[in-house]
Amino acid sequence: MDTIPTEFDVLDERFAAVNGDDRVERLHIGTRWAEGPVYFPAGRFLVWSDIPNDRMLRWDETTGVVGTFRQPAGYSNGNTLDREGRLISCEHGNRRVTRTEHDGSITVIADRWQGRRLNSPNDAVVRSDGSVWFTDPPYGILSDYEGHAAEQEIDGCHVYRADPVTGGVLVVADDFVRPNGLAFSPDESLLYVADTRARHIRVFDVRDDGSLTGGKVFADGSANDNFDGIRLDDTGRVWTAAGKAVLCYDPDGTLIGRLGLPEFTANLVFGGPKRNRMFITASTSLYSLMTSVTGALPVWAAR
């Protein structure tokens, strides 16, 4: 394991209290495009995707050992956990969202909408009612690099909600160009969704019935800020992978800080026993930084 100097840029005084180790750890190097980090508190390990190599890797927090978690892996991209600690994965190659049961078997959550195959599910998040929300751009079917080249069967790239009771798949937002990372606010009243092609993050109000209203632009990116994965901390600040950095936004939409990295970032997650260790997937590497920030606890975990 090697380290690099931590580069925090304070862009607003509200970011001044954010700090952490003075060096960022590089826990692993050797992926083609690292994505989808998810931390398992019960086992103290992290799983992430290496999309072009069609594999998922596993890093053990207690030993520092990295091994193969799954290969082939359906060219998996984004990953998250459900209320029972089961792995939810977006599989580019199989064009589906799946759940890995505790016995290792795979359950398909969604692979079609109105009888047509999904494009290539990208990232997912689980709400406290058990519904699985995911984005569906076409990156996995544009070529054989991140999946399998194929025709797009659905006219558009949407945000979906898979019902936990009926299993039905509903479109909750249909006006995105390339929807990508998504995350709920700590109280689940808001849903943030990145649109990589449009270079912005939008925010929606979430109704009790699972429908969305609003959708205003929360953050505008520059030419270098292709917003990707999103996570929130327990104060409601929005952290997003963008270019060669992780950006931090105040809940009012102000860009307040930046963590610079030497590679293009894809995603991040808060983990560790106190949820104050930031794990970042970036191009060839998995990075880690112990911070003064605590990741938001899912609503169901706080009950």
Side-chain angles (χ1 to χ4, degrees):
M1 179 184 70
D2 62 341
T3 64
I4 58 174
T6 300
E7 297 181 5
F8 274 132
D9 294 329
V10 178
L11 306 177
D12 184 283
E13 62 180 11
R14 286 169 287 184
F15 194 73
V18 174
N19 54 61
D21 290 341
D22 61 3
R23 298 194 69 84
V24 176
E25 299 172 301
R26 182 151 60 180
L27 303 177
H28 180 75
I29 185 170
T31 56
R32 278 195 163 88
W33 181 241
E35 251 285 10
V38 56
Y39 182 81
F40 289 77
R44 292 192 63 183
F45 64 89
L46 181 126
V47 169
W48 77 102
S49 300
D50 181 5
I51 306 176
N53 284 325
D54 192 17
R55 63 178 178 168
M56 299 170 75
L57 300 174
R58 179 186 186 275
W59 172 81
D60 189 292
E61 189 171 24
T62 61
T63 66
V65 173
V66 172
T68 301
F69 178 80
R70 179 180 296 160
Q71 188 174 26
Y75 290 89
S76 66
N77 189 335
N79 300 284
T80 191
L81 296 180
D82 72 1
R83 297 178 300 175
E84 298 181 31
R86 296 172 296 187
L87 175 66
I88 305 295
S89 299
C90 294
E91 301 179 9
H92 274 189
N94 295 321
R95 302 171 70 170
R96 66 186 189 179
V97 180
T98 62
R99 180 176 65 238
T100 301
E101 308 295 348
H102 292 304
D103 64 3
S105 60
I106 305 294
T107 299
V108 177
I109 294 173
D111 62 357
R112 294 177 183 273
W113 176 67
Q114 295 186 347
R116 290 169 283 176
R117 296 189 70 186
L118 297 172
N119 298 325
S120 56
N122 187 284
D123 209 353
V125 65
V126 178
R127 196 169 176 233
S128 58
D129 63 1
S131 57
V132 178
W133 300 57
F134 63 95
T135 55
D136 189 41
Y139 300 124
I141 58 175
L142 295 178
S143 72
D144 291 324
Y145 185 72
E146 293 189 7
H148 306 292
E151 293 296 323
Q152 189 169 331
E153 297 183 16
I154 295 172
D155 184 16
C157 302
H158 309 320
V159 182
Y160 295 89
R161 174 185 182 272
D163 190 277
V165 177
T166 67
V169 178
L170 302 173
V171 172
V172 292
D174 62 2
D175 57 348
F176 280 82
V177 183
R178 293 288 186 268
N180 202 315
L182 72 172
F184 286 110
S185 61
D187 63 1
E188 295 186 341
S189 65
L190 302 173
L191 177 70
Y192 298 88
V193 186
D195 192 323
T196 302
R197 180 70 63 80
R199 299 184 188 277
H200 60 217
I201 296 173
R202 295 170 60 190
V203 59
F204 296 83
D205 294 304
V206 184
R207 292 172 169 164
D208 291 341
D209 64 0
S211 60
L212 301 179
T213 60
K216 67 179 181 180
V217 173
F218 170 77
D220 267 314
S222 69
N224 296 319
D225 292 338
N226 288 318
F227 295 118
D228 204 323
I230 302 173
R231 293 291 187 275
L232 273 74
D233 64 29
D234 62 1
T235 71
R237 289 175 297 212
V238 177
W239 296 77
T240 179
K244 290 185 176 181
V246 173
L247 306 179
C248 180
Y249 287 84
D250 188 80
D252 69 4
T254 303
L255 176 61
I256 60 174
R258 179 182 185 275
L259 171 63
L261 288 165
E263 301 183 80
F264 287 99
T265 61
N267 217 324
L268 69 148
V269 71
F270 290 100
K274 296 183 178 180
R275 303 189 313 284
N276 64 341
R277 188 171 189 174
M278 184 185 297
F279 296 94
I280 305 158
T281 50
S283 303
T284 69
S285 306
L286 172 67
Y287 294 93
S288 170
L289 178 67
M290 196 74 75
T291 73
S292 62
V293 175
T294 302
L297 190 67
V299 170
W300 68 83
R303 289 174 178 170

